[in-house]
Structure formats: C-alpha cells, structure tokens
Amino acid sequence: MPLQAATGTPRRAMTPAAFVRGVVAAYARYGKDPAEALNRGQVLPDLVISGDGRVTAAQFEALAGHAMRELDDEALGWFSRRLPWGSYGMLCRASITAPTLEVALKRWCRHHRLLTEDVLFELAVGEETATISIREQRQLGDLREFCLVTLLRYVLGFSCWAVDSTIALRAAEFPYDEPGHVSVYPTIFCKAVRFGADRAGICFDRHYLSLPLTRSAADLDSMLKGALRLTVLPYRPYRRDRLLVERVRRVLRASRGRSLGAEDVASELALSTRTMHRRLREEATSLRELKEEAKLELAKLELMRGRAPIKRIAEIAGFRNEKSFSRAFRNWTGASPREFRGRYR
C-alpha cells in the first residue's frame, strides 16, 4: 500500500525504499521478474537498494498496483496463501452496510479471518479510546514491517472514507525496533509512535466509533477503482474532522477554568494552530465561542452542586471577578447565577 503524508503534497517522496524492496521480494517469492512493475512506478534500480531512498505516493501506487494484479496477490507475499485481486474490495463490501463505524470495524476484524488467519485484527474499546491491533499468528519474516504498516493503513483509510472524516490518531505502536526511516512514521500515522510494543496497533478517540457510515454501494464501486490512492492519503480527502468540535470541548472542560491559549489547545489535539482555527471555521464555530461555552457549562455545573460561593465559581470558570461573571451568565441564560441556583434547587 502506498504511503504518503496526511497533509503533504502527493508529489513529495515519502515512501521508504524498504517498502519498494518488499514489492520486489514478492516477485522473488513467485519466481517472477519485477522489471515491468518497477518501470510502471518509474523506480530506478539504484533506488531499490538504497538505504535511505524514497519514492512518491504516485510511484508506489503504480508499482504496487501493477504487482498486485500481475502476481494476483493483494498481500504481496506476506501470508501463507495469496489473496487474489479483489480480496480487500470484498472486505470493504462486507463492512459498508454497517450502521456505524464500530459495527463496520467489528465486521472487518471478523471477516479478515476469511482472507487469512496468519494475522488477526482485534478492536478494543475503552472508556476514552478505541484501539485496532494486529495479533500475529505466524512469523512474517523480513516483510513484517511492510505488512503491519500496510494493514493498519488499509483499515484506517477505509474508516476515514466510510465516515467521510479525518480520524485523528492518539497513538500508534509497532512490535519491532525503530527502523532507519523512522522519520516517516509521524507523517503517515501520528506523532505519538512507539516501537518494541507487544503488537501493532492504532489508537483513537472512541467517539469516532459512533459516527454513521455515509457511503452507498455506488460510492464503494467508485472508490474501489482507485482504492490504492485512497490508502495513500487516508486523511487528505477529508479536511473535516467530524469530532473536532467535541475534542476541543473536552480539552477545555479538562482545564477546569485554567486559561488555555490557542497553541495549548492545538497541541493537545496534535494540530497546528492554523489548522485548528481553519477546521473550526469549517464547522461554523471558533475557539473563542467554544471557550465561552465551556465557561458556561462549568459555571452551571458548579451552581447546581450548590456549595461554592458565587465569587469562587467565577474564579473556577475563569472570570476576572464576580461582576463580570454575573453579567456574562445573565447574557447566556437570562438569569443571574443566584437566580439560576435557586431555580435548580
């Protein structure tokens, strides 16, 4: 599967030569010549053996796409049996009719076993996060990294497409030592990457699981015509993060009235400040509006508890003094803090 930056240009060479060698190794396994595939990808022989060489997403897409068809193996030799061309398309069709992403991913994990039991997908859901991990059932040898990275990109790319949204990863981990091309990992996954883990996996906010799938069978037919391109840039077509507003709200709630600047919030979200502001505008809101909303929610919660003095609640909610808090609260609710507390009681 081609690899490329979530926000970078498709023309930038990002895919390590190590993955090009993975495709060449698939040809060696089947006793065939990779020359035509390398020609399709415009990959020079010197680059194949390069320790730090890179190719563009378009090059790798052409290379891998031709190899999968010519070898009739979408797994490119990773598994004990080949996966004929169209195998992952079938997996997409089995998942696309699910009502939510959670159901779709559970189907993906279950139905992937029909393709192979050499690796098993597992979905674990916690209080705050969800994790998709891969349990290896056999030795993957020299193709281990190429296989595990690609499989995670497959499921991530499909998920983003299915819900029409960026899915912001909180963490990614892998069960091997840090590779020489480690610098590409934060670009193709996220900044929080760990090596030497028990298994490969990606972690994200569990609330993405409740998003409905928005794609039709006709959409799927169209997508499958360029499915490799989709997995090259799983984020790029989805400038919108359908959970971004809620993620910002959670960061602000957790601050408990502590003053957070735009840089602080953006850092918590693993975004640039500029990207955060732009995406909030696309969602018809702003950081300032969400901060005011968070202050109101915190103030209402403290008032309903009925213990703290109004002055203390003003401080907790992040106001300079009780007067400014009372004025803002009346503008929000039509009642003073004391009137609101009395009504609640």
Side-chain angles (χ1 to χ4, degrees), residues 3-5 10-21 41-44 46-60 63 145 179-188:
L3 304 174
Q4 181 64 28
R11 296 179 181 175
R12 185 181 173 194
M14 292 293 301
T15 305
F19 296 154
V20 174
R21 290 191 287 275
Q42 300 181 346
V43 178
L44 299 176
D46 288 348
L47 188 140
V48 177
I49 60 175
S50 170
D52 58 357
R54 304 287 174 90
V55 296
T56 66
Q59 285 179 282
F60 199 78
L63 168 68
E145 181 196 7
H181 45 266
V182 62
S183 60
V184 76
Y185 275 76
T187 308
I188 61 177

Side-chain angles (χ1 to χ4, degrees), residues 1-285:
M1 177 185 306
L3 304 174
Q4 181 64 28
T7 57
T9 166
R11 296 179 181 175
R12 185 181 173 194
M14 292 293 301
T15 305
F19 296 154
V20 174
R21 290 191 287 275
V23 177
V24 173
Y27 275 91
R29 173 177 178 177
Y30 291 115
K32 294 191 175 183
D33 185 355
E36 180 58 26
L38 292 170
N39 183 57
R40 293 291 183 94
Q42 300 181 346
V43 178
L44 299 176
D46 288 348
L47 188 140
V48 177
I49 60 175
S50 170
D52 58 357
R54 304 287 174 90
V55 296
T56 66
Q59 285 179 282
F60 199 78
E61 179 187 349
L63 168 68
H66 183 82
M68 290 176 182
R69 288 178 173 88
E70 187 173 27
L71 300 176
D72 195 25
D73 184 5
E74 289 193 347
L76 293 174
W78 305 327
F79 304 135
S80 54
R81 52 160 290 189
R82 72 174 72 223
L83 302 190
W85 178 255
S87 295
Y88 280 97
M90 181 188 70
L91 195 60
C92 292
R93 293 188 189 282
S95 304
I96 193 61
T97 57
T100 65
L101 182 60
E102 180 171 8
V103 176
L105 289 176
K106 286 179 177 178
R107 289 183 184 177
W108 188 283
C109 294
R110 184 170 64 252
H111 293 148
H112 197 274
R113 297 185 65 173
L114 300 176
L115 304 182
T116 179
E117 290 195 350
D118 291 351
V119 297
L120 301 178
F121 276 92
E122 297 179 354
L123 174 66
V125 184
E127 291 186 4
E128 293 291 333
T129 61
T131 301
I132 301 171
S133 62
I134 300 174
R135 179 152 52 95
E136 300 169 59
Q137 300 286 86
R138 66 181 288 268
Q139 295 294 322
L140 298 174
D142 293 340
L143 297 177
R144 189 185 194 195
E145 181 196 7
F146 183 29
C147 171
L148 296 177
V149 167
T150 301
L151 290 177
L152 289 176
R153 293 284 293 200
Y154 269 137
V155 70
L156 178 60
F158 170 78
S159 298
C160 291
W161 173 83
V163 298
D164 192 21
S165 172
T166 293
I167 295 178
L169 298 183
R170 291 195 178 187
E173 57 183 27
F174 302 91
Y176 42 78
D177 294 336
E178 181 179 296
H181 45 266
V182 62
S183 60
V184 76
Y185 275 76
T187 308
I188 61 177
F189 287 106
C190 60
K191 292 182 179 180
V193 179
R194 183 169 72 92
F195 297 94
D198 292 335
R199 60 174 67 176
I202 50 177
C203 175
F204 51 90
D205 190 311
R206 65 167 292 176
H207 293 87
Y208 284 108
L209 295 177
S210 64
L211 291 177
L213 271 63
T214 62
R215 306 295 188 171
S216 67
D219 294 331
L220 181 59
D221 290 338
S222 178
M223 182 274 281
L224 289 176
K225 293 176 183 177
L228 279 176
R229 196 170 307 115
L230 176 71
T231 58
V232 175
L233 300 167
Y235 297 106
R236 191 175 180 80
Y238 318 111
R239 304 297 293 272
R240 178 185 181 190
D241 179 348
R242 295 171 68 186
L243 284 190
L244 180 63
V245 171
E246 184 55 34
R247 290 170 62 213
V248 171
R249 285 182 175 131
R250 283 198 288 274
V251 170
L252 295 173
R253 289 189 201 112
S255 72
R256 292 283 300 170
R258 180 168 52 91
S259 178
L260 294 181
E263 296 80 4
D264 302 315
V265 178
S267 177
E268 287 288 326
L269 301 174
L271 295 173
S272 70
T273 305
R274 181 178 179 180
T275 297
M276 179 188 69
H277 284 310
R278 173 177 55 76
R279 291 185 177 175
L280 288 175
R281 284 196 303 271
E282 291 170 357
E283 297 299 311
T285 188

